[in-house]
Amino acid sequence: MHCPACGATVQTFRNPAPTVDIIIETEGGVVLIERKNPPHGWALPGGFVDYGECYEDAARREAEEETGLRVTLTEQFHTYSDPKRDARQHTASTVFIATASGSPVAADDAKRAEVFRRDTLPALAFDHARILSDYFQFKETGRRPRPDRD
């Protein structure tokens, strides 16, 4: 790549895109969205972090945009960065746990938004089955996912 101002050759880098996913706890379970855009399927609410935006603000924004719920972030859960987690590109997602009251209403990139219990989860997009498996184990045992897990 060449600098548009001076023409010098500059090194370019390819980096993972930062994303957030939000596990929204409600009285009935956790909120999932059915994606309106490819890849289709059910997923945790979430999306890309905008330039100049902190991850916490991105999580609150994405949760409200996709579910209509104003969430309270309770903790940062774990970061998932497998290069294969999203077939579109390499992403690294920081997952937050949040609480909300009210009923989710699909908006933005979501076709539907519903509450699911562990025993009623649909097939999930991306690596969200792994994320929720880790989350439910954490809720039962207090153990967080190990960073060296394959």
Side-chain angles (χ1 to χ4, degrees):
M1 174 177 218
H2 297 284
C3 173
C6 70
T9 301
V10 293
Q11 187 174 5
T12 59
F13 298 94
R14 291 184 65 198
N15 298 308
T19 62
V20 292
D21 289 301
I22 309 92
I23 301 169
I24 303 172
E25 301 174 329
T26 67
E27 289 182 27
V30 296
V31 177
L32 298 176
I33 60 152
E34 184 177 14
R35 292 178 50 81
K36 193 185 293 184
N37 302 311
H40 296 287
W42 287 92
L44 292 165
F48 293 93
V49 178
D50 291 338
Y51 185 82
E53 181 178 46
C54 72
Y55 286 42
E56 295 82 0
D57 288 345
R60 285 186 283 270
R61 174 183 55 77
E62 287 288 348
E64 187 169 3
E65 284 177 0
E66 294 183 349
T67 70
L69 297 172
R70 289 184 154 270
V71 300
T72 300
L73 301 179
T74 58
E75 60 187 295
Q76 183 176 317
F77 179 57
H78 191 70
T79 297
Y80 294 83
S81 61
D82 184 330
K84 297 180 209 121
R85 70 178 303 275
D86 185 335
R88 299 170 297 176
Q89 68 183 47
H90 183 184
T91 62
S93 183
T94 299
V95 178
F96 291 91
I97 299 173
T99 59
S101 58
S103 298
V105 177
D108 193 38
D109 295 333
K111 185 173 14 175
R112 293 191 301 176
E114 296 181 20
V115 177
F116 292 89
R117 294 183 321 274
R118 183 180 196 170
D119 62 341
T120 63
L121 291 175
L124 296 166
F126 309 111
D127 59 351
H128 293 187
R130 176 182 173 188
I131 292 170
L132 285 175
S133 175
D134 289 348
Y135 163 77
F136 288 120
Q137 182 177 0
F138 168 69
K139 294 305 266 188
E140 289 174 3
T141 67
R143 284 182 290 155
R144 292 186 177 275
R146 291 174 32 159
D148 61 348
R149 180 175 164 199
D150 294 333

